[in-house]
Amino acid sequence: MATIMDEWKVMPRLAFLAMIIMAYRVADWYMYDLDIASRTVEASGFCSVVIGALTGSFAIWLGKEK
């Protein structure tokens, strides 16, 4: 069982899937759930950090797949 999980890289793929879902939910919250007055600098910064973390993790993912 452990060799199958290692060969198929199950845990890194699940972690990356969780990261994608989190980034999607944050972007959806920012764009559709907040009205214009509620889009503060803090909310914009939070959304930017989450999307930036997704971008960074995707770059690491691509670097490790070679």
Side-chain angles (χ1 to χ4, degrees):
M1 182 70 170
T3 57
I4 292 172
M5 289 186 68
D6 287 341
E7 289 173 5
W8 289 357
K9 301 175 187 171
V10 174
M11 293 306 289
R13 290 178 184 191
L14 287 176
F16 195 68
L17 179 64
M19 188 83 174
I20 290 171
I21 292 170
M22 178 191 64
Y24 175 78
R25 298 272 320 245
V26 168
D28 187 54
W29 163 77
Y30 184 78
M31 289 189 290
Y32 300 114
D33 292 343
L34 291 180
D35 55 352
I36 298 298
S38 298
R39 293 183 186 173
T40 62
V41 173
E42 291 84 5
S44 299
F46 176 68
C47 187
S48 175
V49 165
V50 170
I51 300 300
L54 176 67
T55 304
S57 64
F58 187 63
I60 292 170
W61 176 274
L62 288 179
K64 297 231 177 195
E65 288 293 314
K66 290 183 179 178

